[in-house]
């Protein structure tokens, strides 16, 4: 493998970040942005701790990448995220000109890359993103399942 990270390798980093979100009682979702094989931005869900409804992992990672590049355009970049992006996050990726999105678990309640909506394939959208779902889906799903089971146990 020559030490070159793969989609699975990058997703493992996103899973580590998702764990940070869970440790802070946030829904455990993590994301990274990679350009030319180099990690340029990372984030995890923190809308509760930031008191900001836009602080999804993807948005946090894209903001960090934009600062790193000193450019809001993240062309030729790949966004790795542990959960299928929602409409807000895939919309931001489209506006940032992300080239590719790789995600773990499908989101049958709010996913906007094929589950509920399919914004990247919407004919009226001017930028096309290559989307690939299911990478490390078991690990991503298990992390989310454990989080919500613990939350339900605490609420009983």
């Amino acid at each position: 493998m020559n030490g070159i990270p793969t989609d699975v390798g990058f997703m493992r980093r996103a899973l580590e970040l998702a764990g940070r979100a869970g440790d802070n009682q946030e829904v455990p979702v993590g994301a990274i942005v990679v350009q030319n094989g180099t990690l340029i931005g990372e984030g995890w869900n923190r809308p509760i701790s930031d008191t900001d409804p836009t602080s999804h992992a993807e948005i946090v990672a894209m903001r960090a990448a934009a600062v790193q590049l000193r450019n809001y355009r993240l062309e030729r970049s790949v966004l790795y995220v542990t959960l299928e992006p929602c409409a807000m996050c895939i919309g931001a990726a489209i506006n940032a000109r992300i080239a590719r999105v790789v995600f773990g678990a499908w989101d049958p309640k709010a996913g906007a890359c094929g589950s509920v909506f399919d914004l990247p394939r919407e004919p009226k959208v001017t930028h096309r993103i290559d989307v690939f779902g299911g990478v490390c889906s078991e690990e991503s799903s298990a992390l989310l399942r454990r989080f919500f089971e613990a939350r339900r146990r605490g609420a009983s």
Side-chain angles (χ1 to χ4, degrees):
M1 189 157 109
N2 301 347
I4 299 170
T6 62
D7 285 347
V8 171
F10 286 126
M11 190 62 77
R12 295 224 182 282
R13 177 61 185 152
L15 282 161
E16 290 172 16
L17 297 169
R20 284 193 194 177
D23 291 345
N24 290 308
Q25 307 309 307
E26 302 271 8
V27 175
V29 178
I32 64 171
V33 178
V34 173
Q35 190 177 76
N36 301 322
T38 301
L39 191 151
I40 59 170
E42 60 182 26
W44 55 91
N45 263 7
R46 46 191 205 214
I48 297 167
S49 48
D50 286 0
T51 319
D52 180 353
T54 69
S55 284
H56 289 197
E58 302 95 308
I59 301 294
V60 174
M62 286 187 281
R63 284 177 179 154
V67 168
Q68 176 73 22
L69 294 179
R70 296 181 181 182
N71 192 339
Y72 75 99
R73 291 279 172 100
L74 303 176
E75 297 170 324
R76 299 180 322 282
S77 296
V78 181
L79 172 65
Y80 292 88
V81 59
T82 58
L83 181 65
E84 179 184 3
C86 69
M88 174 183 70
C89 292
I90 199 63
I94 289 167
N95 284 318
R97 303 297 192 256
I98 293 277
R100 187 166 173 248
V101 172
V102 178
F103 67 86
W106 293 89
D107 186 350
K109 294 184 179 181
C113 293
S115 289
V116 178
F117 305 106
D118 199 352
L119 294 180
R121 290 175 193 85
E122 168 57 44
K124 293 180 182 175
V125 173
T126 58
H127 175 69
R128 295 281 171 247
I129 296 179
D130 182 27
V131 177
F132 188 75
V135 175
C136 299
S137 64
E138 290 300 318
E139 296 96 321
S140 297
S141 295
L143 195 59
L144 289 159
R145 189 172 40 257
R146 285 191 305 269
F147 174 81
F148 286 111
E149 285 171 356
R151 185 177 262 186
R152 280 191 294 274
R153 279 193 307 271
S156 323

